[in-house]
Amino acid sequence: DTEVTQTPKHLVMGMTNKKSLKCEQHMGHRAMYWYKQKAKKPPELMFVYSYEKLSINESVPSRFSPECPNSSLLNLHLHALQPEDSALYLCASSQDVLRRAGEQFFGPGTRLTVL
Amino acid sequence: EDKVVQSPLSLVVHEGDTVTLNCSYEVTNFRSLLWYKQEKKAPTFLFMLTSSGIEKKSGRLSSILDKKELFSILNITATQTGDSAIYLCAVSAGNMLTFGGGTRLMVKP
């Protein structure tokens, strides 16, 4: 299985809602990443998990809360988002963070719209 | 601050043409340079380059890295409409990927 899966594919939420994005991989990768991508822009790194521990938080507002329950799963909990948070949220994984960080496999993304 | 710059920003060609996409970078602790193709959703991995001067090939696509001049090129020969996409260059430095702004390629029939 060489796939990263993400659910849901699309999500529309109000500013007072609480929702979660999910990401799963079964490649035995020990590094997982959340990216945010706005239209016509490259992906921007949000969080990096290495061996289930948060290793990088790129100054992301606290309304985004990542969670790594185990080595295969990565969640992104959303609360009190703003309309400008609407974007494609991409999950990626790589074998590890140090030596193989470059070879990241991306999931299909969740397209989030905040009303 | 790490920087990755791609050119051109966009390109329109006709089927059968050959295109060359450019990526230059300034990063500390360089590990590798990667090319991704992004259509409607997630970027899909094309190549990872770590050594200068060694061409990587996959079908009609090829790429090479110059670590002295700090750039890479991605060539696509005999382009097809299915090659239309955004091509992203990214540099792995430390434990992060820094992406360039992408080149939007449109291949017309």
Side-chain angles (χ1 to χ4, degrees), chain B residues 79-96:
Chain B
T79 51
Q80 301 171 358
T81 54
D83 295 326
S84 297
I86 296 172
Y87 290 84
L88 293 166
C89 170
V91 174
S92 171
N95 55 5
M96 289 170 51

Side-chain angles (χ1 to χ4, degrees), chain A residues 22-105:
Chain A
K22 295 185 185 303
C23 174
E24 194 166 357
Q25 57 87 14
H26 294 287
M27 294 180 277
H29 287 175
R30 303 314 300 267
M32 295 185 77
Y33 310 78
W34 279 116
Y35 288 88
K36 174 183 176 179
Q37 187 175 25
K38 301 282 269 183
K40 299 185 181 180
K41 297 280 185 183
E44 295 173 26
L45 184 67
M46 298 174 74
F47 301 105
V48 180
Y49 272 82
S50 175
Y51 290 84
E52 297 143 61
K53 288 187 171 29
L54 182 65
S55 65
I56 292 178
N57 175 342
E58 285 289 303
S59 304
V60 180
S62 60
R63 56 185 185 269
F64 295 91
S65 172
E67 179 200 16
C68 191
N70 60 56
S71 59
S72 301
L73 290 173
L74 185 66
N75 298 323
L76 186 63
H77 302 299
L78 315 172
H79 176 53
L81 294 195
Q82 305 294 312
E84 60 264 28
D85 297 321
S86 300
L88 180 68
Y89 287 83
L90 293 164
C91 173
S93 71
S94 66
Q95 204 165 343
D96 61 53
V97 168
L98 290 178
R99 283 182 299 278
R100 304 286 290 184
E103 202 166 1
Q104 293 182 21
F105 293 82

Side-chain angles (χ1 to χ4, degrees), chain B residues 55-73:
Chain B
E55 186 183 53
K56 293 225 170 173
K57 277 183 78 81
S58 176
R60 296 176 293 101
L61 276 66
S62 63
S63 184
I64 198 160
L65 173 67
D66 185 329
K67 287 168 77 173
K68 185 178 172 191
E69 300 297 329
L70 307 182
F71 78 91
S72 172
I73 59 171

